[in-house]
Amino acid sequence: MFEFEKKILLTKTEYDYLRSDERFSKRPSLQKNYYYDTEKYELNELGITCRIRERNGKYKATLKAHQPDIENFSIETSGEAENERDLSFFKNMALLFQGELDTYRINYIPQKNIRISLDENIYLTTIDYELEIEYNPKEEKTAAMILNDIANDLLTAGIIKNKEEFIKRAENAKSKSERFFEKKYYKKY
């Protein structure tokens, strides 16, 4: 599966403002990501994530390859898992459990092929916040307009001072797994 997304790390103030918006007013759902890598984090260094995600009592193993040459793009392969320790999907990869990241997510679907997620992530004594806009590649312009509209809302409310800087943050945002492994590898917790 191909995944296109725009992602922005949010400040707590930005998150709280968006959380108060009626689009994001429903109760968040919990998803747990269990991350695996080799002993020396070799897969992470190559931009590859191995995770098992638990949502609503079901487990899904995913191998995700981030594509550094193509902005906002990754390739995913997934399969079922029996539990968070079932590594049968990742055949012969010598993986070790590296830790867990919990995401409290609120989804809003403004139209077909676009999903906006507002996330609170908890991992390795860290809490961070992000906005993700996942979209079909044919909806790239619409996703950009949605991001622009959200930036305008934050600007009008006085939450941000510069809309262009806010939007530019979408170009540099690291994935959940990148942030997790950066924290884990450098032991900044």
Side-chain angles (χ1 to χ4, degrees):
M1 175 173 76
F2 300 115
E3 182 178 80
F4 289 82
E5 62 183 18
K6 295 186 180 300
K7 178 189 300 283
I8 291 187
L9 286 177
L10 301 171
T11 66
K12 175 78 163 106
T13 302
E14 293 164 350
Y15 173 83
D16 287 342
Y17 177 79
L18 292 174
R19 184 74 174 85
S20 71
D21 184 291
E22 66 181 28
R23 295 173 289 188
F24 301 109
S25 62
K26 60 185 170 183
R27 186 172 184 215
S29 62
L30 172 63
Q31 65 183 30
K32 292 179 168 284
N33 293 311
Y34 302 94
Y35 290 116
Y36 292 86
D37 203 335
T38 62
E39 183 178 355
K40 295 181 180 178
Y41 310 106
E42 295 153 316
L43 296 174
N44 182 64
E45 292 292 322
L46 295 171
I48 297 171
T49 300
C50 295
R51 73 163 186 243
I52 296 177
R53 177 173 284 168
E54 177 186 358
R55 188 182 311 155
N56 299 324
K58 296 185 180 180
Y59 298 87
K60 184 164 111 176
T62 299
L63 180 73
K64 187 172 185 176
H66 304 279
Q67 303 299 304
D69 298 335
I70 305 172
E71 186 179 325
N72 307 317
F73 178 66
S74 61
I75 300 172
E76 288 186 13
T77 306
S78 298
E80 292 183 21
E82 289 187 25
N83 57 48
E84 72 272 12
R85 303 285 187 192
D86 176 9
L87 299 179
S88 58
F89 179 79
F90 308 106
K91 294 182 177 25
N92 303 316
M93 292 181 71
L95 299 177
L96 300 172
F97 177 67
Q98 300 295 337
E100 176 182 328
L101 181 146
D102 293 344
T103 296
Y104 292 90
R105 171 170 279 183
I106 300 168
N107 287 320
Y108 171 66
I109 301 173
Q111 68 180 57
K112 186 178 178 183
N113 297 320
I114 294 183
R115 180 178 64 205
I116 305 170
S117 299
L118 187 62
D119 294 345
E120 176 182 24
N121 305 299
I122 302 169
Y123 58 100
L124 304 174
T125 69
T126 298
I127 299 175
D128 68 27
Y129 309 92
E130 69 186 324
L131 178 76
E132 289 183 1
I133 303 171
E134 293 184 20
Y135 55 93
N136 178 300
K138 294 176 185 175
E139 302 295 340
E140 169 77 33
K141 287 182 181 177
T142 304
M145 285 180 9
I146 289 170
L147 181 58
N148 188 63
D149 290 346
I150 290 170
N152 280 332
D153 290 347
L154 291 166
L155 184 64
T156 300
I159 305 297
I160 62 172
K161 295 189 186 321
N162 185 311
K163 181 175 86 167
E164 288 73 26
E165 284 179 11
F166 179 82
I167 291 172
K168 189 154 183 71
R169 285 167 33 199
E171 297 172 14
N172 303 315
K174 294 180 180 178
S175 70
K176 286 177 181 63
S177 61
E178 287 174 301
R179 297 190 317 268
F180 173 89
F181 279 104
E182 185 175 90
K183 187 85 147 168
K184 172 93 176 170
Y185 184 73
Y186 295 109
K187 300 187 183 352
K188 296 178 182 174
Y189 60 96

